[in-house]
Amino acid sequence: MSDHKILLKLDRIEKRFPGVLALKSISLDVRAGEVQVLLGENGAGKSTLMKILAGEYQATGGTITIGDRTVSTLTPELAAELGIGLVHQELSLVPALSVTENIFLGRMPRGPLGKIDWGKAHAEARRALAALGVTIDPATEVRRLEVAEQQLVEITRVLERGPRILLLDEPTSALSDGERSRLFDVIRRLKQRGHGMIYISHHLSEIPMIADRVTVLRDGIVIDTLPADKADEETVIGMMVGHSLADQFPKVKVERGKPTLSVDRLASGKTLKDISFTLHRGEILGVYGLMGAGQAEIAAALFGLQDLKSGTIEVDGRPVHFRYSSDAIAAGLGLISRDRRQSLVPMQPVGPNLSLSWLSGRSLLSRLDLKRERTESERYVRELRVRPASLAHRLMFFSGGNQQKVILARWMSSGAKILIFDEPTRGIDVGAKAEVFALMSRLVADGASILMISSELNELIGMADRVLVMRHGRLSAELPREQLSQENLLRHAS
Ligand SMILES: Nc1ncnc2c1ncn2[C@@H]1O[C@H](COP(=O)(O)OP(=O)(O)OP(=O)(O)O)[C@@H](O)[C@H]1O
Ligand SMILES: [Mg+2]
C-alpha cells in the first residue's frame, strides 16, 4: 500500500479555542485506497480535526495539502471542491425538512422552468438510500426518524456528493450490525476505486474489520500511526489511555432484593406486545435485541413518553400510570435516552445539567441544592474524567463523549432508584466505560435497580445479572448470567 499516492497531508496542525488548546501539532497523511482509523479518548481532538478538514473550523497553525494544493485554512466550499466529505458525529441534518431535501440540500433536481422536480428528487433519494439498504420513505421529515435512520441519511447525504476523501466521525454509533456491514461494503467499494478515508470509532473491534492503518490521538497530539495488523486492542488501549486497563467490567456481586418495577402484559407503540418482567432491587437487568426489536420503545413506554395500549406497570407494588416523564421522575425513575441531544441543555455548564433531574418538588433557588450541585458536579467530573474538567464551560463546547458522561452523571446523581439506561456507553471511550460500569455497580450496591438496554453484547455479558432478549416487539428469552454468551443472545434475538 505504501506505493499508493498521498491524497491528503496534514503538517503540524494546531487549533486553539479560547482557553483550550484542542490540537497541539497533528501531522498525518491519508493515501488513496486506505481506511485510516482514528482513535482517541473523549476530548482527544478527533472531531475538531475533522471539522478543520471540512472547513468548518479554521486551524490556528500548520498546513493542509490536498493533491498539489497547500493551504493553512479551508472554507466549507473549498473543502467540498477539493473532494472532502464529512459525516458528522453530531448529525448535521435539518430536522424539519424531508429526507430528500436533506440529501440534496441546495442541489435539488429541477425541471425546465426551474421548478423542483419532486418526483425525480424522491426517486433519486430512494436510489441513493438503497445503496445502504435503507428503505425509508424519502418524503418523511427527518425529525420523525429514529437516530439510526438519521445516521444513515447523513451518510447518504455525504456519499451523494461523491467525495474523494471521506471522513466518518463515529458513523456506526447508532447502527445495527446489519446496517454497519452494509456501510462497510460501501467503504470497501470506495477503497477499490482509490478513495481515501478517515474513520473514527470507539468500537475497537471494528479495527480488524475495516482498517488499513490506525492513528491514535491523545490530548491533541498524534501518539503513533500503526499498520492495522499491529493494532491489537491491548496495544491501542495503552496508546489511547497511557496505561493498560485492569478490568473493563468491574461487576460487583449484589444480593437481589425485593421487586421494584413490575411490568405485566404491556403493549405500546408500533412494536411492543405482551411484555412482562420484574426488576429487583440491587439488580442490573439487561435488555438485548436487534435494531428495531422494541428496546427503545420499552424505555419510552416505561417513562411516560409513549402511551400504553394495554398492560400495567407497578412501582414498589403500587400500580402507576405515567402521563408525562415528570410523573415517572416523581415516582423515582430516571432515563438516559439513546439520543443525547434530546436531554442536554447545551447553553449551560455541568452543574445545571446535573441538577435538572433533582428539581421536582424542590425550591429552585435553595442554597442546599446549589451546594449539592457543586459537590456532585466536582465528584462526577473527577470520577468520569469529564474533559474539560471545568464547571464553567458550557456543554456545547464539550466533545460528544464528554456530553454523554454528563448525562450519565445527571441520573447517577439524581437519587432515582430505578434507572433505565438506554445505550449508556454510546460514544464513550474505553477508559471512561470502565468508570461508568464501576459507578453502575456502586449504584446497585446502594440499593438502586438498573434496566440496561444495550446493543453491546460484551457489555451485557460483563455487567448484567439477567438479560431479557427481544424479538419483533416481544420477549423471546430470559437468560441468567451463567448462560450469557454472544451465541446465546444472538440466537434468541434473531
Ligand atoms: N467550539 C469549541 N469551543 C471550545 N472548545 C472546544 C470546541 N470544540 C471542541 N472543543 C474542545 O476541544 C477538545 C477536543 O474536542 P473534540 O470534540 O475534538 O474531541 P473528540 O476527540 O472528538 O472526542 P469524542 O470522542 O468525545 O467525540 C475538547 O476539550 C473540547 O472541549
Ligand atoms: Mg468527537
Side-chain angles (χ1 to χ4, degrees):
M1 214 199 42
S2 49
D3 53 335
H4 281 182
K5 98 166 185 275
I6 290 175
L7 295 178
L8 167 73
K9 192 169 163 57
L10 304 182
D11 189 28
R12 284 167 290 165
I13 292 290
E14 179 205 86
K15 177 64 184 174
R16 194 178 288 279
F17 291 112
V20 188
L21 185 54
L23 301 178
K24 294 188 182 120
S25 176
I26 304 285
S27 300
L28 54 84
D29 57 46
V30 178
R31 297 166 190 168
E34 86 159 328
V35 175
Q36 186 168 151
V37 168
L38 187 60
L39 301 174
E41 285 185 290
N42 298 131
K46 305 176 298 292
S47 298
T48 302
L49 189 63
M50 296 306 104
K51 288 180 190 164
I52 287 173
L53 288 173
E56 292 167 21
Y57 287 167
Q58 265 58 61
T60 49
T63 58
I64 303 167
T65 305
I66 299 169
D68 49 12
R69 186 93 177 252
T70 297
V71 294
S72 51
T73 59
L74 291 162
T75 60
E77 295 72 30
L78 182 56
E81 195 187 310
L82 294 172
I84 292 185
L86 169 59
V87 173
H88 286 82
Q89 176 179 25
E90 307 299 332
L91 311 183
S92 62
L93 304 173
V94 187
L97 293 183
S98 68
V99 169
T100 300
E101 288 164 293
N102 270 283
I103 293 176
F104 297 115
L105 205 64
R107 314 182 312 147
M108 292 285 283
R110 286 172 192 275
L113 297 172
K115 271 204 171 145
I116 291 175
D117 184 344
W118 282 101
K120 186 168 173 211
H122 287 323
E124 293 207 352
R126 200 171 280 121
R127 173 196 50 75
L129 289 162
L132 285 168
V134 187
T135 54
I136 39 183
D137 175 3
T140 317
E141 276 179 35
V142 157
R143 66 190 167 93
R144 307 214 173 275
L145 302 178
E146 286 181 21
V147 200
E149 294 170 326
Q150 294 189 13
Q151 182 92 266
L152 291 162
V153 172
E154 165 90 12
I155 296 169
T156 304
R157 189 179 71 81
V158 176
L159 288 176
E160 262 315 284
R161 283 160 170 70
R164 180 101 169 110
I165 300 164
L166 179 62
L167 314 172
L168 298 137
D169 196 351
E170 294 189 42
T172 54
S173 63
L175 299 188
S176 66
D177 288 346
E179 288 161 338
R180 172 170 72 185
S181 70
R182 278 193 292 268
L183 172 63
F184 283 3
D185 287 341
V186 172
I187 290 178
R188 287 190 198 100
R189 280 204 294 280
L190 291 173
K191 260 175 70 154
Q192 279 163 8
R193 285 195 244 139
H195 296 242
M197 280 158 279
I198 296 182
Y199 182 98
I200 297 174
S201 179
H202 288 294
H203 297 292
L204 302 182
S205 56
E206 293 179 346
I207 295 172
M209 299 181 199
I210 200 78
D212 296 296
R213 291 193 295 165
V214 174
T215 293
V216 177
L217 297 192
R218 176 157 24 111
D219 292 333
I221 59 167
V222 175
I223 298 297
D224 203 358
T225 298
L226 301 175
D229 57 4
K230 298 270 169 0
D232 56 281
E233 290 200 12
E234 209 184 314
T235 305
V236 296
I237 289 174
M239 290 164 70
M240 281 169 71
V241 217
H243 55 85
S244 62
L245 276 187
D247 187 1
Q248 284 207 47
F249 303 109
K251 167 102 184 144
V252 176
K253 182 105 193 80
V254 178
E255 185 88 18
R256 177 161 135 176
K258 61 181 190 347
T260 53
L261 177 73
S262 303
V263 172
D264 191 37
R265 281 166 294 166
L266 186 94
S268 171
K270 281 186 270 183
T271 46
L272 291 189
K273 281 170 213 80
D274 200 23
I275 303 286
S276 303
F277 66 85
T278 302
L279 173 67
H280 294 258
R281 206 179 139 100
E283 182 180 42
I284 298 179
L285 177 58
V287 178
Y288 177 72
L290 302 180
M291 179 79 51
Q295 316 86 298
E297 287 200 320
I298 288 204
L302 290 178
F303 212 65
L305 295 169
Q306 169 174 311
D307 282 341
L308 307 189
K309 288 186 192 145
S310 60
T312 56
I313 301 174
E314 286 181 8
V315 170
D316 295 329
R318 271 187 300 271
V320 290
H321 180 72
F322 302 144
R323 288 181 54 210
Y324 306 103
S325 51
S326 52
D327 298 341
I329 295 170
L333 272 70
L335 170 69
I336 290 172
S337 72
R338 57 179 59 202
D339 185 1
R340 66 174 155 262
R341 286 161 305 157
Q342 287 178 0
S343 43
L344 276 180
V345 191
M347 299 295 282
Q348 294 284 352
V350 173
N353 270 288
L354 285 198
S355 57
L356 201 63
S357 60
W358 315 335
L359 296 179
S360 46
R362 280 168 206 268
S363 144
L364 269 172
L365 291 173
S366 136
R367 284 184 98 148
L368 253 179
D369 272 2
L370 285 177
K371 200 170 150 219
R372 175 172 158 215
E373 184 181 291
R374 186 166 185 92
T375 45
E376 295 279 289
S377 300
E378 280 168 355
R379 174 179 159 209
Y380 282 98
V381 160
R382 187 177 60 246
E383 292 190 352
L384 294 176
R385 291 190 278 155
V386 175
R387 301 240 192 91
S390 151
L391 300 190
H393 277 74
R394 295 188 228 163
L395 243 57
M396 57 193 283
F397 298 130
F398 281 37
S399 75
N402 281 296
Q403 293 180 355
Q404 178 76 354
K405 292 183 202 171
V406 173
I407 296 174
L408 282 167
R410 170 192 300 166
W411 292 107
M412 290 177 158
S413 68
S414 69
K417 284 297 179 201
I418 300 170
L419 292 160
I420 305 168
F421 284 5
D422 191 3
E423 302 290 353
T425 60
R426 172 166 294 167
I428 292 190
D429 69 55
V430 274
K433 273 181 194 167
E435 309 294 337
V436 168
F437 296 140
L439 280 169
M440 283 172 61
S441 281
R442 196 160 350 135
L443 284 167
V444 290
D446 289 346
S449 330
I450 297 178
L451 192 68
M452 177 185 179
I453 304 172
S454 175
S455 52
E456 303 290 333
L457 291 167
N458 58 344
E459 297 184 4
L460 288 169
I461 295 167
M463 293 306 296
D465 295 294
R466 282 187 292 155
V467 174
L468 307 171
V469 186
M470 297 196 67
R471 186 168 56 202
H472 305 315
R474 294 171 190 272
L475 294 182
S476 58
E478 181 195 313
L479 302 174
R481 185 165 175 80
E482 309 76 63
Q483 288 174 27
L484 295 181
S485 67
Q486 305 232 355
E487 305 80 75
N488 239 350
L489 287 163
L490 279 170
R491 180 153 47 85
H492 289 287
S494 42

